[in-house]
Amino acid sequence: MSSPSRNSSGPTLRRSRRLTQQPTTSRTKTSGSPQDRSSRPYSLRRKASPIPPPCETISVHGILAGSSSGTTSITASTASKAKRARLTHHQAAQSVNLSNPEDNFLQYHVPSEILLKIFSYLLEKDLCNVLCVCKRFNTLAGDPTVWKKMYQSVYEMSLPVLRPSPTRFKFVQPDKVDSPNIWKESFKTLYNAVHVKPGHARRVYDNMEMYKGREIQYYDTIEEALSSVEGNDYPLILLHAGVYSGEWLYIDTPVCILGAAPGHIPDSVIVENFKESTFVFFEGCEDAYLGHISIRFNPDHQSNTPHHKHSCVEVGSCCSPIIDSCNIRSRSQGRARVGAAVSVSGKNAAPTVKNCVISDCENVGLFINDHAQGHFMDCEISGNALAGIWVKNHANPLIRRCHIHHGRDVGVFTFDNGMGHFDRCDIHHNRIAGFEVKAGANPTVVHCEIHHGQTGGIYVHENGRGEFLENKIHSNTFAGVWVTSNSDPTIRGNEIFNGHQGGVYIFGEGRGLIENNDIHSNALAGIQIRTNSNPIIRGNRIHDGQHGGIYVHEKGKGLIIENEVYSNTLAGVWVTTGSCPELRRNRIHSGKQVGVYFYDNGHGTLEDNDIFNHMYSGVQIRTGSDPIIRRNKIWGGQNGGILVYNGGLGVLEYNEIFDNAMAGVWIKTDSNPHLRYNKIHDGRDGGICIFNGGRGLLEENEIFRNTQAGVLISSQSHPKLKRNKIYDGLAAGIEITNNATAYLEGNHVFNNKFAGICLATGVNPEMKDNKVHGNKNAIEKAVKCGRCLYKISSYTSYPMHDFYRCKTCNTTDRNAICVNCIRRCHSGHDVEFVTHDRFFCDCGAGTLSLQCQLAGEPTKDTDTLYDSAAPIESHTLMVN
C-alpha cells in the first residue's frame, strides 16, 4: 500500500500518540490502629497480609479476551507458588474481614447503582483492573451498560460490530445475539484498530493524564493511517465522522477501512476527491475491505483537467476487495472514457460489492470491463445519467438482488461480448429499456423482475445473445422483449404480461428461442414476428391479450411449435404480407375472433394443430394467401371450421374438421383451394359450402354426419369434386343450386337422409362415374305420403323440391310452399310453380296468414333462405 510522494523537506508529521501505561499491582502494607483505619472507610483492599501477594501484570487484552470472572497473568512465580500465595492471601483477608468490616465497605456495602456510575467513568484499562478485584466488582464492571457507554464513546457507532473473519464486519442488534456482553465483545473486536479522527490526536496529546491507560492510535488523515499500518495483516482503520477531501488513496495491501459514526454511518463519513479517482485498488490489495462510508468524485467541470477516466472506486487487475454498504456518487460527465462511479477492469479483477447505493451519477453507475469479474449483490443503483450497469469486453460479473431503477438511460447494458449472471434483480422505471444486449454480448438473466421501462423491457440487437430465464417482465411502455438485427437470445420460462404494447417483438432478421413463457394480458400481440425474422416459438402460453396472440407479417418466418394460444381478443395467429411461418402441434382455442388468420398473401404451414372453440372460424384464408393446412383438428368454431374467401388459396389435407356451428369448410368469392384426404363430419350445418363464385378442387375427402348438405354448391360457383365419400348426412349428399355448376367424378354418395345428389332448376353439372346409392330419399317419401315437408326439415334444413307460391294468399318469392300444402291447404287457390330448389315450407312453418292443415302448431320463423347462413368474415385491423 502506497501513495504518490509529494515534494517536502522532511517526513510528514503524524499526529499520533500511543498512550501506554504498564499496569502495576499495589503492594503497600496496611498500618496503624483500628481508629486510623476507620478514618479511611473507602480504602480499596488495603489489607494486612501475612504473606505479600505475588507480583501480577494485568493485561487489557488479557482481561478483554478472558472469561467473565477476569484473568491475570503470573509473571513473578511459578504456578504452584502463585496458588499457595493466593490461598494464604485469601485466608488473611477472611480474618481481616471478620475483625474489621469497615475495610470492606466499598466492596460489600456501596449500592450497585453508585458503583456502576463510578465504573462508567473508567477507561478500559482501569475497568479491566476492577474486574480482578472481587466477584461483585467483576459482575458490575462487566455490566453491558458500562461497556456500551465505553464502546459508543470510543467507536461512536450505535450498534456493536462483530468480525467473523478478517474482511467481514457484521453489525448486530444487541437483543438478537446470544452473548452475555456483546458490547464488551465488540469493544475487543475493534480494539486494535487505527482511528482517523481529525484533531483528536492533538487533543489526546494535550491531555495525557486523561487518556492514561488507553492504547489507541489516532491520525488526522487516511493517508497517514494507511502508512502506519503497512506490513500488518488485515489491519483495521476506523474513519470517524467528517469529510475527507483531496487525499490520494491507492490501496495495494489487504487493509480494512470501516466508517465509524452514530446512526446511518455513510451519512456522516464522506471521502471525496476532485481530481483523481477517490479510491484505487491495485494488485496486492487482495481482499481489502472498504465499508460504511460515502465515496464521491466531484470534479471541477470548469477546469481543463480531464476527468472522464476517473471514478469513485477503481478496481484493477488481480484485485478482489470488498466494498460494503457504501454510498457512491460520481459527477464525472461525458462518454469518452466512461467516468463511472465504480469501475472494474482487467483480468482477475473480482471485487465483492454489496449493500451499496450507487445513485445520481452523471455517467454510468457500475462499469465492468476487460475480462473483469466480481460479485455485486444487494446494491441499489438508481438515477444515473447513463446506464445503471455496463458490462463490456468479455467481463463476466455475478450480480444478485440488485435494485436498478429510475435511470436516465438503460438499466443494464451489456455489449461488445460482455457477459454476466444477473439473479433476482429488480429493474424498473428506466428511461430506455430495462436490459439491453448488443454486439455479441451474452448475459444470463434469471429470476429478475423487469418492469415499467419507458421504452421496453429487454432489448436484444446487433447480434446480441443472452439467456433470460424465469423472469417477470411486465408493464413496459413498448414491447416486453425486443429482438432484432440477427440477434439470437433464449427467452425461457418468463412471465411477460401487462405490456402497453406487445409481449415479444422480433423484427429486422431477428432470431431467438422463445420457450415455455407465459405471455398474457398485453395491449398488442403476445408475439410479433416481422421483416425476415425467423425465431423458434415453442411451448409458450399466449393468452388473454387485448389484441391477437401471434402476429407474423412483412415476410416474417419462424417455427411456432407446441404453444397454447387462447382467449385473445383478435385472431389467435395472424399470418400476412408474404410471411411464411411453420405452425406445428399448437393448441389454438377459445379466441374471441378467428383461430388462425391468413390474409394479404400470408403463407406458411399449419400442421398437427388443435384449433377449436373460436367465436369466428377456426381458420380463415383470403386475398392471395396460400398456406398448407395439414393434419389439424378443427372443431367448435361458432362460424365454421375453415373459411376461404376473397381470392384465398391453400392446400387443406388430412385434416379432421368436425362439430362446427356452421359449415366445416366455406369457399367463396373467387377462392380456389385444394382439399384432399380430409374428414369433415358431425357439423351442426353443412360439410362444405361453396358459393359466390367459389371454386376449388375437392378430392378423396370423407364428408359425413353433417346436419345440412354434405357439399352445397351455390351462386355461380364451379368446383371440382373427385373421388369423395359423402354419406350419413342429415340432408342431401350434394346440392347444386342458384346458377352454380360443378364437375363431379368418381364420388361415392350414400346413406344420406334426403337424397344423394340434388340439382336445382337450370343446373347441369358435368358428372362422371359417381356412385349414388342407399340414400333414404325422405323428401320423396314425404311427398308420396302427403306430408308437409316442414315436418321432416323444420326451419333448420332446406330440402330440395318443387317450389310453389300462392297468388290468392299473396305470398312472395321469398315464401315457399311445398307441393302437399298446395294440394291440401291451398286447394282451389291461384298457385304457380316457381322452381325446383332448396327451401323449407313456410306454410308448415306457420309464417303465412293461412294456417297449415298438415303441420300442426305454428313455429316462429322468418323468410326462407336458399343458402346456409353466411359466415362472419374477420375484419381484424392491422394495429401492430
Side-chain angles (χ1 to χ4, degrees):
M1 170 185 48
S2 64
S3 60
S5 61
R6 302 180 181 177
N7 293 330
S8 60
S9 57
T12 303
L13 176 62
R14 301 178 190 160
R15 291 187 173 181
S16 66
R17 299 291 183 268
R18 182 185 295 273
L19 304 179
T20 59
Q21 181 73 24
Q22 292 296 327
T24 58
T25 303
S26 174
R27 299 178 63 183
T28 307
K29 295 182 180 180
T30 304
S31 61
S33 64
Q35 291 79 7
D36 296 332
R37 290 194 297 272
S38 64
S39 64
R40 294 179 277 107
Y42 300 101
S43 59
L44 184 60
R45 292 197 68 142
R46 292 182 177 273
K47 301 180 288 293
S49 175
I51 301 177
C55 178
E56 298 174 345
T57 298
I58 301 176
S59 167
V60 175
H61 298 293
I63 295 298
L64 289 174
S67 65
S68 60
S69 62
T71 58
T72 57
S73 57
I74 308 302
T75 59
S77 63
T78 64
S80 59
K81 289 183 179 180
K83 182 175 180 180
R84 287 196 302 272
R86 284 196 296 272
L87 291 173
T88 306
H89 186 66
H90 178 66
Q91 293 167 356
Q94 280 187 324
S95 64
V96 173
N97 289 344
L98 294 173
S99 59
N100 300 298
E102 66 274 13
D103 275 347
N104 307 299
F105 181 81
L106 187 60
Q107 283 180 257
Y108 300 109
H109 300 291
V110 175
S112 298
E113 293 80 1
I114 296 176
L115 289 177
L116 285 172
K117 188 69 174 178
I118 294 171
F119 294 163
S120 68
Y121 289 101
L122 301 179
L123 299 185
E124 59 273 11
K125 181 175 180 180
D126 298 325
L127 195 59
C128 289
N129 286 333
V130 170
L131 286 168
C132 302
V133 171
C134 65
K135 185 175 182 180
R136 184 182 182 216
F137 277 25
N138 183 277
T139 301
L140 293 175
D143 189 89
T145 59
V146 175
W147 287 95
K148 175 181 178 180
K149 180 177 179 182
M150 181 181 299
Y151 173 87
Q152 292 182 339
S153 68
V154 172
Y155 303 117
E156 299 181 335
M157 289 183 280
S158 302
L159 294 174
V161 178
L162 299 179
R163 195 177 185 181
S165 64
T167 58
R168 184 183 171 201
F169 296 87
K170 181 180 180 182
F171 287 84
V172 297
Q173 294 291 339
D175 56 343
K176 295 182 179 180
V177 65
D178 186 16
S179 172
N181 193 340
I182 187 60
W183 297 100
K184 177 183 174 184
E185 184 180 345
S186 184
F187 191 96
K188 170 196 169 185
T189 296
L190 304 178
Y191 196 70
N192 288 326
V194 171
H195 295 242
V196 180
K197 191 173 183 180
H200 198 72
R202 169 55 62 186
R203 180 182 176 189
V204 172
Y205 184 76
D206 292 342
N207 299 275
M208 295 289 289
E209 289 299 319
M210 180 184 299
Y211 292 96
K212 183 180 296 184
R214 174 155 290 168
E215 303 176 11
I216 296 177
Q217 299 179 63
Y218 289 93
Y219 295 92
D220 287 343
T221 68
I222 304 172
E223 289 181 275
E224 292 175 356
L226 288 170
S227 297
S228 73
V229 297
E230 286 185 6
N232 296 342
D233 290 334
Y234 297 104
L236 174 60
I237 297 175
L238 296 180
L239 302 187
H240 289 264
V243 179
Y244 302 87
S245 300
E247 298 194 55
W248 295 359
L249 303 176
Y250 296 90
I251 313 297
D252 58 1
T253 60
V255 65
C256 299
I257 301 174
L258 178 67
H264 186 242
I265 299 172
D267 292 343
S268 304
V269 183
I270 301 169
V271 182
E272 63 180 2
N273 207 312
F274 307 104
K275 297 180 180 179
E276 302 285 338
S277 293
T278 310
F279 282 94
V280 181
F281 291 89
F282 288 108
E283 184 175 356
C285 73
E286 298 177 8
D287 51 347
Y289 179 91
L290 179 64
H292 296 274
I293 63 176
S294 288
I295 308 170
R296 297 177 183 169
F297 177 56
N298 295 321
D300 182 2
H301 296 295
Q302 303 300 321
S303 70
N304 295 324
T305 304
H307 55 80
H308 303 131
K309 61 182 179 180
H310 299 306
S311 305
C312 294
V313 177
E314 285 187 29
V315 180
S317 300
C318 302
C319 294
S320 54
I322 299 171
I323 317 296
D324 182 16
S325 301
C326 294
N327 289 352
I328 304 173
R329 180 179 302 169
S330 171
R331 296 297 185 187
S332 176
Q333 298 178 349
R335 295 173 178 262
R337 293 288 296 275
V338 188
V342 177
S343 177
V344 183
S345 180
K347 289 186 177 180
N348 298 317
T352 297
V353 180
K354 58 184 180 179
N355 304 310
C356 291
V357 177
I358 304 172
S359 64
D360 301 310
C361 302
E362 295 302 325
N363 210 299
V364 176
L366 172 61
F367 182 30
I368 308 159
N369 189 23
D370 290 339
H371 300 270
Q373 299 181 28
H375 190 180
F376 305 82
M377 56 185 177
D378 300 306
C379 296
E380 182 168 0
I381 303 172
S382 64
N384 299 292
L386 297 183
I389 300 176
W390 274 14
V391 182
K392 178 183 178 184
N393 194 18
H394 302 283
N396 191 16
L398 177 58
I399 298 179
R400 281 199 173 111
R401 299 185 300 275
C402 289
H403 188 192
I404 305 162
H405 62 99
H406 289 93
R408 288 169 276 170
D409 199 88
V410 68
V412 178
F413 185 25
T414 58
F415 62 108
D416 290 352
N417 299 300
M419 295 182 288
H421 186 99
F422 297 80
D423 182 17
R424 286 170 287 173
C425 297
D426 188 4
I427 305 171
H428 64 93
H429 285 101
N430 296 285
R431 191 179 68 84
I432 307 181
F435 207 109
E436 183 176 352
V437 182
K438 177 183 177 182
N442 190 18
T444 300
V445 183
V446 183
H447 299 137
C448 294
E449 189 167 359
I450 304 171
H451 58 104
H452 290 94
Q454 295 180 34
T455 297
I458 297 169
Y459 181 30
V460 188
H461 61 118
E462 296 184 29
N463 296 292
R465 299 174 62 198
E467 286 187 291
F468 297 86
L469 312 176
E470 299 181 8
N471 304 284
K472 284 190 174 182
I473 305 164
H474 64 92
S475 307
N476 296 287
T477 301
F478 297 135
V481 179
W482 295 25
V483 181
T484 185
S485 51
N486 295 300
S487 297
D488 191 16
T490 296
I491 314 293
R492 180 185 293 124
N494 305 280
E495 185 179 7
I496 305 170
F497 63 101
N498 287 347
H500 298 175
Q501 287 196 4
V504 179
Y505 181 28
I506 307 167
F507 64 103
E509 299 183 345
R511 300 192 302 279
L513 172 61
I514 316 300
E515 184 175 47
N516 296 332
N517 302 284
D518 188 5
I519 304 171
H520 65 92
S521 307
N522 296 288
L524 297 182
I527 296 177
Q528 184 178 171
I529 306 169
R530 63 185 282 251
T531 50
N532 297 304
S533 296
N534 191 17
I536 297 173
I537 312 295
R538 181 167 60 202
N540 303 281
R541 295 172 62 229
I542 306 165
H543 60 101
D544 293 294
Q546 300 172 39
H547 200 262
I550 299 174
Y551 181 25
V552 189
H553 61 119
E554 296 181 35
K555 299 183 179 179
K557 292 181 276 188
L559 174 61
I560 302 170
I561 183 170
E562 296 175 354
N563 302 281
E564 185 168 11
V565 184
Y566 63 97
S567 299
N568 295 288
T569 301
L570 302 183
V573 179
W574 300 355
V575 182
T576 182
T577 51
S579 299
C580 190
E582 297 179 33
L583 290 91
R584 291 192 170 95
R585 298 193 298 280
N586 302 283
R587 285 170 52 87
I588 305 168
H589 64 95
S590 307
K592 298 172 185 177
Q593 282 197 9
V594 181
V596 182
Y597 185 24
F598 296 89
Y599 68 99
D600 292 349
N601 296 299
H603 309 301
T605 300
L606 186 66
E607 187 173 79
D608 295 315
N609 302 279
D610 285 350
I611 303 169
F612 60 96
N613 291 348
H614 292 92
M615 292 298 294
Y616 289 8
S617 304
V619 177
Q620 286 192 14
I621 306 168
R622 72 172 177 92
T623 51
S625 297
D626 190 15
I628 297 173
I629 314 294
R630 180 186 295 132
R631 289 196 306 272
N632 303 282
K633 290 184 178 181
I634 303 170
W635 80 92
Q638 296 303 305
N639 194 32
I642 297 175
L643 169 60
V644 188
Y645 65 109
N646 290 357
L649 303 168
V651 176
L652 286 65
E653 59 185 6
Y654 300 104
N655 300 285
E656 186 173 1
I657 304 167
F658 62 97
D659 193 29
N660 295 286
M662 298 178 70
V665 178
W666 294 87
I667 303 170
K668 69 172 195 171
T669 52
D670 301 312
S671 298
N672 190 20
H674 185 183
L675 281 72
R676 61 190 179 195
Y677 312 117
N678 300 285
K679 289 185 178 182
I680 304 169
H681 63 95
D682 292 294
R684 286 169 273 167
D685 198 276
I688 299 174
C689 183
I690 308 168
F691 63 108
N692 288 353
R695 293 174 290 163
L697 172 60
L698 285 63
E699 58 180 352
E700 302 194 49
N701 300 284
E702 278 194 64
I703 305 166
F704 59 97
R705 289 201 305 264
N706 296 287
T707 302
Q708 298 289 351
V711 178
L712 172 62
I713 305 168
S714 178
S715 52
Q716 300 178 345
S717 298
H718 191 135
K720 295 179 181 179
L721 282 71
K722 296 182 178 181
R723 299 180 300 280
N724 300 283
K725 291 174 67 176
I726 305 168
Y727 60 97
D728 291 348
L730 301 182
I734 299 173
E735 294 185 352
I736 307 176
T737 182
N738 201 13
N739 298 314
T741 186
Y743 177 79
L744 308 179
E745 179 183 350
N747 299 285
H748 192 183
V749 186
F750 61 97
N751 202 37
N752 297 286
K753 180 178 179 181
F754 291 168
I757 299 175
C758 296
L759 305 177
T761 300
V763 172
N764 294 297
E766 184 179 352
M767 294 193 290
K768 181 180 179 181
D769 298 330
N770 297 287
K771 294 181 181 180
V772 182
H773 65 91
N775 296 287
K776 298 177 182 178
N777 299 318
I779 299 173
E780 185 177 335
K781 292 178 181 178
V783 170
K784 288 181 180 179
C785 294
R787 298 174 60 191
C788 174
L789 296 188
Y790 186 78
K791 298 291 289 184
I792 64 169
S793 69
S794 76
Y795 59 88
T796 59
S797 61
Y798 312 97
M800 187 171 286
H801 203 265
D802 292 341
F803 175 171
Y804 293 85
R805 63 184 293 267
C806 180
K807 295 181 180 180
T808 303
C809 295
N810 199 27
T811 61
T812 69
D813 291 342
R814 296 290 293 176
N815 298 121
I817 304 173
C818 72
V819 63
N820 288 332
C821 284
I822 288 293
R823 293 170 181 169
R824 177 75 178 270
C825 304
H826 297 267
S827 175
H829 290 196
D830 184 9
V831 298
E832 67 175 344
F833 174 78
V834 178
T835 187
H836 184 82
D837 214 324
R838 302 176 71 241
F839 65 92
F840 66 76
C841 181
D842 283 288
C843 181
T847 59
L848 303 180
S849 58
L850 183 66
Q851 184 174 353
C852 181
Q853 299 177 29
L854 299 177
E857 293 298 324
T859 305
K860 71 172 186 175
D861 195 27
T862 57
D863 294 336
T864 299
L865 299 177
Y866 294 112
D867 293 325
S868 298
I872 302 173
E873 299 171 5
S874 177
H875 298 288
T876 302
L877 298 177
M878 295 176 60
V879 181
N880 259 4

